[in-house]
Amino acid sequence: MRSLVVTAPVAEAELAADVLFGAGVAAVEERPSETAGCVELWTHVGDEQVAIDRVIATLAAGWGHRVVDVDETVADTWRRHAAPIPVTDQLTIVPSWLDEVETAGARIVLDPGSAFGLGDHPTTQLTLRALLRHVEGASTPPRRLLDVGCGSGVLAIAAALAGVDDVQAIDIHAGAVEATVANAARNGAGGRIAASATPLTDVEGMFDVVLANVLAPVLVDLADDLRRVTAPGGLLVISGVLDGRFDHVVAALSPMSVRRVEVLDGWAAVELGRPG
Ligand SMILES: C[S@@+](CC[C@H](N)C(=O)[O-])C[C@H]1O[C@@H](n2cnc3c(N)ncnc32)[C@H](O)[C@@H]1O
């Protein structure tokens, strides 16, 4: 197995970890670096060089990187420490290897594989809550939903289990598409979720709800298409943005307008409406 090791200045360690999560990794471990003033971020993006190169392409110019052969990846270590994650009083995300643990209410059983999204990241939690609030507040569940950057499929599965009939889930990371297909089946939602690596530019039609938990620069790049695929009167939920640092993303999505902002641990989720 291969680990990707990124070396970044201590002051940029958090940013570097966010970039790695935004690129779809499941876990990151910080370790001391032999380079003064720097830390190493160890992560795993699968063993294929093409997947590793795709993540390397997202790194800032000043950060170093190397690929190391390992017996156990960071994701494996992290698996041993994983625990069920409450989303609401009525919904818990349960790692598939802990399926026997008892929980109250409904559950989503998840194995993220090499993809991002066991459900514990603040941006995932914020997006899930926005989704559930919207579905519960509607007289009938939205009919069509698009999950842009589906990772493990956690948001798409929550939507399908909440009653959305037609869920499309897309991701540029092949491991994420695989994980979404497997997790959808694991939760009995395979018939409602179509997962693929289709680029957003090629997605046709419009959706009542669009979810996009990807980093701010990606949201800006995708803004025209996010607006295009959100149906008139529909809802777009963006996350992956830092609290107080998303005005440029909202500007790129204009004339969509902000309906609500929720914040958790320094991250924000912004709900935007497209005029009917
Ligand atoms: C922060 S993770 C979110 C995963 C999951 N939706 C969640 O909320 O836990 C971001 C995901 O977006 C994917 N991604 C990044 N850029 C993308 C793009 N341009 N189009 C589609 N997916 C993208 C990454 O591969 C990664 O799986």
Side-chain angles (χ1 to χ4, degrees):
M1 284 176 294
R2 306 169 83 200
S3 283
L4 172 64
V5 183
V6 175
T7 307
V10 174
E12 293 174 20
E14 209 170 322
L15 174 65
D18 288 344
V19 166
L20 290 169
F21 282 126
V25 309
V28 175
E29 185 187 336
E30 195 175 304
R31 296 188 193 171
S33 166
E34 286 179 0
T35 309
C38 288
V39 288
E40 289 186 351
L41 300 171
W42 286 64
T43 192
H44 178 68
V45 289
D47 290 340
E48 286 176 25
Q49 192 58 42
V50 61
I52 295 171
D53 287 344
R54 192 180 56 73
V55 175
I56 289 173
T58 67
L59 303 177
W63 301 342
H65 60 79
R66 66 186 197 279
V67 176
V68 178
D69 287 324
V70 290
D71 293 333
E72 185 180 57
T73 67
V74 175
D76 295 325
T77 317
W78 158 83
R79 274 169 184 265
R80 282 203 302 274
H81 299 288
I85 298 144
V87 180
T88 64
D89 292 347
Q90 296 306 316
L91 179 65
T92 305
I93 298 170
V94 181
S96 59
W97 55 100
L98 299 177
D99 198 13
E100 280 144 33
V101 175
E102 300 231 338
T103 51
R107 52 166 59 196
I108 295 175
V109 178
L110 220 55
D111 185 337
S114 65
F116 177 99
L118 188 57
D120 53 345
H121 196 270
T123 58
T124 308
Q125 290 267 326
L126 286 165
T127 313
L128 275 171
R129 289 180 205 166
L131 165 68
L132 297 176
R133 212 170 30 241
H134 183 71
V135 173
E136 278 157 21
S139 47
T140 52
R143 209 177 61 74
R144 299 193 78 205
L145 179 141
L146 176 66
D147 178 7
V148 180
C150 55
S152 63
V154 57
L155 305 176
I157 293 164
L161 297 184
V164 183
D165 267 342
D166 175 358
V167 180
Q168 283 196 43
I170 59 170
D171 203 294
I172 51 170
H173 175 23
V177 177
E178 265 169 42
T180 297
V181 170
N183 284 321
R186 186 174 270 129
N187 288 278
R192 290 182 164 200
I193 299 175
S196 71
T198 308
L200 180 58
T201 43
D202 293 350
V203 172
E204 290 177 359
M206 289 197 268
F207 298 80
D208 306 308
V209 178
V210 178
L211 308 175
N213 179 14
V214 291
L215 291 179
V218 181
L219 289 168
V220 171
D221 277 355
L222 299 180
D224 287 348
D225 282 303
L226 289 170
R227 202 171 33 234
R228 172 181 63 80
V229 295
T230 307
L235 174 73
L236 167 66
V237 183
I238 57 166
S239 194
V241 293
L242 294 170
D243 180 21
R245 291 177 51 189
F246 52 79
D247 286 354
H248 63 300
V249 181
V250 170
L253 289 163
S254 171
M256 296 186 82
S257 56
V258 176
R259 287 189 191 162
R260 180 169 176 145
V261 178
E262 290 289 328
V263 170
L264 182 64
D265 294 345
W267 293 92
V270 184
E271 298 174 32
L272 297 108
R274 180 170 162 187

mmCIF file of all heavy atoms in Angstrom, residues 21-25 54 115-119 121 123-124 127 147-155 170-173 176 198-200 213-215 218 222, ligand 1:
data_model
loop_
_atom_site.group_PDB
_atom_site.id
_atom_site.type_symbol
_atom_site.label_atom_id
_atom_site.label_comp_id
_atom_site.label_asym_id
_atom_site.label_seq_id
_atom_site.Cartn_x
_atom_site.Cartn_y
_atom_site.Cartn_z
ATOM 1 N N PHE A 21 -8.624 17.011 2.328
ATOM 2 C CA PHE A 21 -10.013 16.552 2.508
ATOM 3 C C PHE A 21 -10.858 16.978 1.310
ATOM 4 O O PHE A 21 -11.694 16.222 0.823
ATOM 5 C CB PHE A 21 -10.609 17.090 3.810
ATOM 6 C CG PHE A 21 -10.156 16.342 5.033
ATOM 7 C CD1 PHE A 21 -9.597 16.995 6.110
ATOM 8 C CD2 PHE A 21 -10.303 14.967 5.107
ATOM 9 C CE1 PHE A 21 -9.179 16.306 7.244
ATOM 10 C CE2 PHE A 21 -9.890 14.248 6.230
ATOM 11 C CZ PHE A 21 -9.320 14.926 7.301
ATOM 12 N N GLY A 22 -10.608 18.208 0.843
ATOM 13 C CA GLY A 22 -11.362 18.700 -0.320
ATOM 14 C C GLY A 22 -11.084 17.869 -1.559
ATOM 15 O O GLY A 22 -11.930 17.746 -2.436
ATOM 16 N N ALA A 23 -9.886 17.291 -1.615
ATOM 17 C CA ALA A 23 -9.537 16.447 -2.763
ATOM 18 C C ALA A 23 -10.086 15.035 -2.590
ATOM 19 O O ALA A 23 -9.901 14.185 -3.444
ATOM 20 C CB ALA A 23 -8.030 16.406 -2.944
ATOM 21 N N GLY A 24 -10.713 14.788 -1.429
ATOM 22 C CA GLY A 24 -11.444 13.537 -1.285
ATOM 23 C C GLY A 24 -10.789 12.482 -0.419
ATOM 24 O O GLY A 24 -11.246 11.340 -0.408
ATOM 25 N N VAL A 25 -9.727 12.813 0.326
ATOM 26 C CA VAL A 25 -9.117 11.767 1.152
ATOM 27 C C VAL A 25 -10.013 11.463 2.356
ATOM 28 O O VAL A 25 -10.803 12.304 2.788
ATOM 29 C CB VAL A 25 -7.697 12.153 1.638
ATOM 30 C CG1 VAL A 25 -6.837 12.598 0.472
ATOM 31 C CG2 VAL A 25 -7.744 13.226 2.708
ATOM 32 N N ARG A 54 -3.633 13.195 -9.062
ATOM 33 C CA ARG A 54 -4.755 14.139 -9.044
ATOM 34 C C ARG A 54 -4.753 14.947 -7.741
ATOM 35 O O ARG A 54 -5.012 16.144 -7.730
ATOM 36 C CB ARG A 54 -6.084 13.375 -9.193
ATOM 37 C CG ARG A 54 -7.257 14.273 -9.476
ATOM 38 C CD ARG A 54 -8.536 13.475 -9.624
ATOM 39 N NE ARG A 54 -8.836 12.647 -8.476
ATOM 40 C CZ ARG A 54 -9.273 13.116 -7.324
ATOM 41 N NH1 ARG A 54 -9.466 14.393 -7.156
ATOM 42 N NH2 ARG A 54 -9.523 12.288 -6.322
ATOM 43 N N ALA A 115 -12.667 7.008 0.103
ATOM 44 C CA ALA A 115 -13.303 8.315 -0.144
ATOM 45 C C ALA A 115 -13.514 9.093 1.149
ATOM 46 O O ALA A 115 -13.505 8.536 2.237
ATOM 47 C CB ALA A 115 -14.655 8.096 -0.829
ATOM 48 N N PHE A 116 -13.733 10.389 0.988
ATOM 49 C CA PHE A 116 -14.022 11.260 2.115
ATOM 50 C C PHE A 116 -15.460 11.032 2.560
ATOM 51 O O PHE A 116 -16.353 10.878 1.738
ATOM 52 C CB PHE A 116 -13.886 12.721 1.661
ATOM 53 C CG PHE A 116 -14.230 13.744 2.707
ATOM 54 C CD1 PHE A 116 -13.232 14.368 3.433
ATOM 55 C CD2 PHE A 116 -15.546 14.093 2.966
ATOM 56 C CE1 PHE A 116 -13.535 15.327 4.388
ATOM 57 C CE2 PHE A 116 -15.864 15.045 3.917
ATOM 58 C CZ PHE A 116 -14.854 15.655 4.625
ATOM 59 N N GLY A 117 -15.693 11.039 3.864
ATOM 60 C CA GLY A 117 -17.066 11.166 4.307
ATOM 61 C C GLY A 117 -17.579 10.057 5.178
ATOM 62 O O GLY A 117 -18.481 9.324 4.793
ATOM 63 N N LEU A 118 -17.026 9.910 6.402
ATOM 64 C CA LEU A 118 -17.710 9.022 7.346
ATOM 65 C C LEU A 118 -18.879 9.765 7.970
ATOM 66 O O LEU A 118 -19.742 9.163 8.593
ATOM 67 C CB LEU A 118 -16.746 8.517 8.431
ATOM 68 C CG LEU A 118 -17.352 7.448 9.320
ATOM 69 C CD1 LEU A 118 -17.829 6.255 8.484
ATOM 70 C CD2 LEU A 118 -16.404 6.969 10.384
ATOM 71 N N GLY A 119 -18.918 11.066 7.788
ATOM 72 C CA GLY A 119 -20.073 11.818 8.288
ATOM 73 C C GLY A 119 -19.759 12.678 9.482
ATOM 74 O O GLY A 119 -20.603 13.410 9.967
ATOM 75 N N HIS A 121 -17.270 15.043 9.656
ATOM 76 C CA HIS A 121 -16.692 16.358 9.384
ATOM 77 C C HIS A 121 -17.781 17.428 9.527
ATOM 78 O O HIS A 121 -18.934 17.200 9.140
ATOM 79 C CB HIS A 121 -16.103 16.387 7.968
ATOM 80 C CG HIS A 121 -15.176 17.543 7.761
ATOM 81 N ND1 HIS A 121 -15.609 18.761 7.294
ATOM 82 C CD2 HIS A 121 -13.849 17.685 7.989
ATOM 83 C CE1 HIS A 121 -14.580 19.596 7.237
ATOM 84 N NE2 HIS A 121 -13.497 18.955 7.646
ATOM 85 N N THR A 123 -18.520 19.987 7.877
ATOM 86 C CA THR A 123 -19.205 20.379 6.635
ATOM 87 C C THR A 123 -20.246 19.323 6.232
ATOM 88 O O THR A 123 -21.301 19.656 5.694
ATOM 89 C CB THR A 123 -18.201 20.571 5.481
ATOM 90 O OG1 THR A 123 -17.476 19.351 5.291
ATOM 91 C CG2 THR A 123 -17.242 21.695 5.781
ATOM 92 N N THR A 124 -19.928 18.065 6.509
ATOM 93 C CA THR A 124 -20.894 16.998 6.208
ATOM 94 C C THR A 124 -22.093 17.122 7.145
ATOM 95 O O THR A 124 -23.254 17.020 6.717
ATOM 96 C CB THR A 124 -20.232 15.610 6.390
ATOM 97 O OG1 THR A 124 -19.018 15.580 5.646
ATOM 98 C CG2 THR A 124 -21.147 14.503 5.937
ATOM 99 N N THR A 127 -24.276 20.062 6.139
ATOM 100 C CA THR A 127 -25.031 19.821 4.900
ATOM 101 C C THR A 127 -26.158 18.823 5.159
ATOM 102 O O THR A 127 -27.280 18.980 4.664
ATOM 103 C CB THR A 127 -24.085 19.320 3.786
ATOM 104 O OG1 THR A 127 -22.938 20.157 3.746
ATOM 105 C CG2 THR A 127 -24.774 19.354 2.428
ATOM 106 N N ASP A 147 -26.069 15.491 -5.800
ATOM 107 C CA ASP A 147 -25.005 15.590 -4.793
ATOM 108 C C ASP A 147 -23.683 15.725 -5.553
ATOM 109 O O ASP A 147 -23.218 14.764 -6.167
ATOM 110 C CB ASP A 147 -25.034 14.321 -3.923
ATOM 111 C CG ASP A 147 -23.932 14.303 -2.869
ATOM 112 O OD1 ASP A 147 -23.235 15.318 -2.716
ATOM 113 O OD2 ASP A 147 -23.796 13.259 -2.201
ATOM 114 N N VAL A 148 -23.105 16.925 -5.518
ATOM 115 C CA VAL A 148 -21.866 17.202 -6.260
ATOM 116 C C VAL A 148 -20.678 16.990 -5.323
ATOM 117 O O VAL A 148 -20.546 17.695 -4.328
ATOM 118 C CB VAL A 148 -21.875 18.654 -6.788
ATOM 119 C CG1 VAL A 148 -20.587 18.949 -7.549
ATOM 120 C CG2 VAL A 148 -23.095 18.911 -7.658
ATOM 121 N N GLY A 149 -19.832 16.021 -5.626
ATOM 122 C CA GLY A 149 -18.712 15.671 -4.734
ATOM 123 C C GLY A 149 -19.227 14.748 -3.652
ATOM 124 O O GLY A 149 -19.162 15.046 -2.465
ATOM 125 N N CYS A 150 -19.715 13.568 -4.086
ATOM 126 C CA CYS A 150 -20.488 12.709 -3.165
ATOM 127 C C CYS A 150 -19.614 11.977 -2.145
ATOM 128 O O CYS A 150 -20.122 11.525 -1.113
ATOM 129 C CB CYS A 150 -21.341 11.719 -3.948
ATOM 130 S SG CYS A 150 -20.401 10.719 -5.122
ATOM 131 N N GLY A 151 -18.294 11.844 -2.395
ATOM 132 C CA GLY A 151 -17.437 11.148 -1.429
ATOM 133 C C GLY A 151 -17.976 9.750 -1.162
ATOM 134 O O GLY A 151 -18.198 8.952 -2.080
ATOM 135 N N SER A 152 -18.225 9.445 0.109
ATOM 136 C CA SER A 152 -18.730 8.122 0.498
ATOM 137 C C SER A 152 -20.199 7.917 0.111
ATOM 138 O O SER A 152 -20.719 6.813 0.245
ATOM 139 C CB SER A 152 -18.628 7.975 2.012
ATOM 140 O OG SER A 152 -19.458 8.957 2.617
ATOM 141 N N GLY A 153 -20.871 9.008 -0.299
ATOM 142 C CA GLY A 153 -22.289 8.910 -0.642
ATOM 143 C C GLY A 153 -23.205 9.240 0.522
ATOM 144 O O GLY A 153 -24.436 9.115 0.421
ATOM 145 N N VAL A 154 -22.643 9.710 1.631
ATOM 146 C CA VAL A 154 -23.440 9.901 2.848
ATOM 147 C C VAL A 154 -24.628 10.845 2.632
ATOM 148 O O VAL A 154 -25.751 10.564 3.104
ATOM 149 C CB VAL A 154 -22.545 10.362 4.032
ATOM 150 C CG1 VAL A 154 -21.785 11.634 3.718
ATOM 151 C CG2 VAL A 154 -23.342 10.524 5.304
ATOM 152 N N LEU A 155 -24.427 11.930 1.875
ATOM 153 C CA LEU A 155 -25.520 12.888 1.687
ATOM 154 C C LEU A 155 -26.582 12.300 0.759
ATOM 155 O O LEU A 155 -27.794 12.437 1.003
ATOM 156 C CB LEU A 155 -24.985 14.201 1.095
ATOM 157 C CG LEU A 155 -23.845 14.891 1.855
ATOM 158 C CD1 LEU A 155 -23.370 16.120 1.085
ATOM 159 C CD2 LEU A 155 -24.308 15.294 3.254
ATOM 160 N N ILE A 170 -22.355 12.647 -7.996
ATOM 161 C CA ILE A 170 -21.189 12.675 -8.886
ATOM 162 C C ILE A 170 -19.929 13.001 -8.101
ATOM 163 O O ILE A 170 -19.984 13.693 -7.078
ATOM 164 C CB ILE A 170 -21.370 13.681 -10.049
ATOM 165 C CG1 ILE A 170 -21.595 15.102 -9.531
ATOM 166 C CG2 ILE A 170 -22.473 13.251 -10.980
ATOM 167 C CD1 ILE A 170 -21.546 16.173 -10.630
ATOM 168 N N ASP A 171 -18.803 12.487 -8.583
ATOM 169 C CA ASP A 171 -17.514 12.790 -7.944
ATOM 170 C C ASP A 171 -16.412 12.555 -8.963
ATOM 171 O O ASP A 171 -16.507 11.654 -9.786
ATOM 172 C CB ASP A 171 -17.281 11.895 -6.710
ATOM 173 C CG ASP A 171 -16.303 12.509 -5.735
ATOM 174 O OD1 ASP A 171 -15.106 12.644 -6.087
ATOM 175 O OD2 ASP A 171 -16.715 12.876 -4.613
ATOM 176 N N ILE A 172 -15.348 13.361 -8.877
ATOM 177 C CA ILE A 172 -14.226 13.185 -9.813
ATOM 178 C C ILE A 172 -13.311 12.040 -9.387
ATOM 179 O O ILE A 172 -12.455 11.628 -10.148
ATOM 180 C CB ILE A 172 -13.385 14.487 -9.937
ATOM 181 C CG1 ILE A 172 -12.996 15.016 -8.561
ATOM 182 C CG2 ILE A 172 -14.110 15.547 -10.730
ATOM 183 C CD1 ILE A 172 -11.983 16.139 -8.627
ATOM 184 N N HIS A 173 -13.493 11.542 -8.162
ATOM 185 C CA HIS A 173 -12.616 10.500 -7.615
ATOM 186 C C HIS A 173 -13.314 9.144 -7.821
ATOM 187 O O HIS A 173 -14.406 8.921 -7.299
ATOM 188 C CB HIS A 173 -12.415 10.844 -6.137
ATOM 189 C CG HIS A 173 -11.646 9.862 -5.322
ATOM 190 N ND1 HIS A 173 -10.757 8.972 -5.850
ATOM 191 C CD2 HIS A 173 -11.621 9.654 -3.977
ATOM 192 C CE1 HIS A 173 -10.230 8.252 -4.879
ATOM 193 N NE2 HIS A 173 -10.749 8.644 -3.731
ATOM 194 N N ALA A 176 -14.584 7.330 -4.868
ATOM 195 C CA ALA A 176 -15.806 7.882 -4.264
ATOM 196 C C ALA A 176 -17.045 7.309 -4.949
ATOM 197 O O ALA A 176 -18.036 6.973 -4.287
ATOM 198 C CB ALA A 176 -15.795 9.409 -4.360
ATOM 199 N N THR A 198 -19.488 11.534 -13.840
ATOM 200 C CA THR A 198 -19.886 12.558 -14.821
ATOM 201 C C THR A 198 -19.479 13.943 -14.320
ATOM 202 O O THR A 198 -19.837 14.327 -13.200
ATOM 203 C CB THR A 198 -21.435 12.539 -14.985
ATOM 204 O OG1 THR A 198 -21.841 11.205 -15.256
ATOM 205 C CG2 THR A 198 -21.883 13.469 -16.099
ATOM 206 N N PRO A 199 -18.735 14.728 -15.128
ATOM 207 C CA PRO A 199 -18.411 16.091 -14.682
ATOM 208 C C PRO A 199 -19.694 16.927 -14.592
ATOM 209 O O PRO A 199 -20.640 16.706 -15.364
ATOM 210 C CB PRO A 199 -17.514 16.632 -15.801
ATOM 211 C CG PRO A 199 -17.180 15.473 -16.672
ATOM 212 C CD PRO A 199 -18.193 14.397 -16.443
ATOM 213 N N LEU A 200 -19.715 17.864 -13.671
ATOM 214 C CA LEU A 200 -20.928 18.678 -13.502
ATOM 215 C C LEU A 200 -21.323 19.363 -14.816
ATOM 216 O O LEU A 200 -22.518 19.495 -15.107
ATOM 217 C CB LEU A 200 -20.706 19.720 -12.390
ATOM 218 C CG LEU A 200 -21.888 20.645 -12.111
ATOM 219 C CD1 LEU A 200 -23.146 19.866 -11.718
ATOM 220 C CD2 LEU A 200 -21.536 21.665 -11.034
ATOM 221 N N ASN A 213 -20.724 19.955 -1.215
ATOM 222 C CA ASN A 213 -19.776 20.101 -0.110
ATOM 223 C C ASN A 213 -18.368 19.913 -0.670
ATOM 224 O O ASN A 213 -17.774 18.838 -0.562
ATOM 225 C CB ASN A 213 -20.086 19.088 0.994
ATOM 226 C CG ASN A 213 -19.089 19.201 2.140
ATOM 227 O OD1 ASN A 213 -18.352 20.175 2.223
ATOM 228 N ND2 ASN A 213 -19.074 18.213 3.008
ATOM 229 N N VAL A 214 -17.890 20.956 -1.339
ATOM 230 C CA VAL A 214 -16.532 20.959 -1.905
ATOM 231 C C VAL A 214 -15.888 22.287 -1.522
ATOM 232 O O VAL A 214 -16.581 23.208 -1.114
ATOM 233 C CB VAL A 214 -16.545 20.778 -3.447
ATOM 234 C CG1 VAL A 214 -16.988 19.380 -3.845
ATOM 235 C CG2 VAL A 214 -17.447 21.792 -4.120
ATOM 236 N N LEU A 215 -14.567 22.389 -1.661
ATOM 237 C CA LEU A 215 -13.902 23.601 -1.168
ATOM 238 C C LEU A 215 -14.257 24.842 -1.995
ATOM 239 O O LEU A 215 -14.675 24.734 -3.160
ATOM 240 C CB LEU A 215 -12.393 23.391 -1.182
ATOM 241 C CG LEU A 215 -11.867 22.376 -0.164
ATOM 242 C CD1 LEU A 215 -10.354 22.237 -0.288
ATOM 243 C CD2 LEU A 215 -12.235 22.759 1.265
ATOM 244 N N VAL A 218 -13.279 25.364 -5.674
ATOM 245 C CA VAL A 218 -14.020 24.464 -6.581
ATOM 246 C C VAL A 218 -15.433 25.007 -6.787
ATOM 247 O O VAL A 218 -15.967 25.023 -7.901
ATOM 248 C CB VAL A 218 -14.061 23.022 -6.009
ATOM 249 C CG1 VAL A 218 -14.804 22.087 -6.951
ATOM 250 C CG2 VAL A 218 -12.659 22.509 -5.730
ATOM 251 N N LEU A 222 -17.224 25.961 -10.265
ATOM 252 C CA LEU A 222 -18.444 25.257 -10.687
ATOM 253 C C LEU A 222 -19.683 26.154 -10.653
ATOM 254 O O LEU A 222 -20.784 25.693 -10.989
ATOM 255 C CB LEU A 222 -18.705 24.053 -9.762
ATOM 256 C CG LEU A 222 -17.630 22.948 -9.710
ATOM 257 C CD1 LEU A 222 -18.070 21.837 -8.750
ATOM 258 C CD2 LEU A 222 -17.377 22.367 -11.098
HETATM 259 C C1 LIG B 1 -15.292 17.358 1.268
HETATM 260 S S1 LIG B 1 -15.623 15.919 0.302
HETATM 261 C C2 LIG B 1 -17.398 15.753 0.568
HETATM 262 C C3 LIG B 1 -17.874 14.313 0.611
HETATM 263 C C4 LIG B 1 -19.326 14.130 1.039
HETATM 264 N N1 LIG B 1 -20.244 14.776 0.096
HETATM 265 C C5 LIG B 1 -19.570 14.668 2.430
HETATM 266 O O1 LIG B 1 -20.294 15.675 2.557
HETATM 267 O O2 LIG B 1 -19.051 14.098 3.395
HETATM 268 C C6 LIG B 1 -15.505 16.625 -1.313
HETATM 269 C C7 LIG B 1 -15.654 15.640 -2.451
HETATM 270 O O3 LIG B 1 -15.739 16.395 -3.660
HETATM 271 C C8 LIG B 1 -15.029 15.738 -4.681
HETATM 272 N N2 LIG B 1 -14.725 16.755 -5.682
HETATM 273 C C9 LIG B 1 -13.754 17.710 -5.655
HETATM 274 N N3 LIG B 1 -13.840 18.469 -6.766
HETATM 275 C C10 LIG B 1 -14.897 18.017 -7.495
HETATM 276 C C11 LIG B 1 -15.508 18.395 -8.741
HETATM 277 N N4 LIG B 1 -15.037 19.391 -9.474
HETATM 278 N N5 LIG B 1 -16.580 17.691 -9.187
HETATM 279 C C12 LIG B 1 -17.063 16.642 -8.463
HETATM 280 N N6 LIG B 1 -16.524 16.232 -7.299
HETATM 281 C C13 LIG B 1 -15.470 16.913 -6.802
HETATM 282 C C14 LIG B 1 -13.846 15.101 -3.967
HETATM 283 O O4 LIG B 1 -13.336 13.995 -4.702
HETATM 284 C C15 LIG B 1 -14.485 14.685 -2.635
HETATM 285 O O5 LIG B 1 -14.959 13.370 -2.681
#
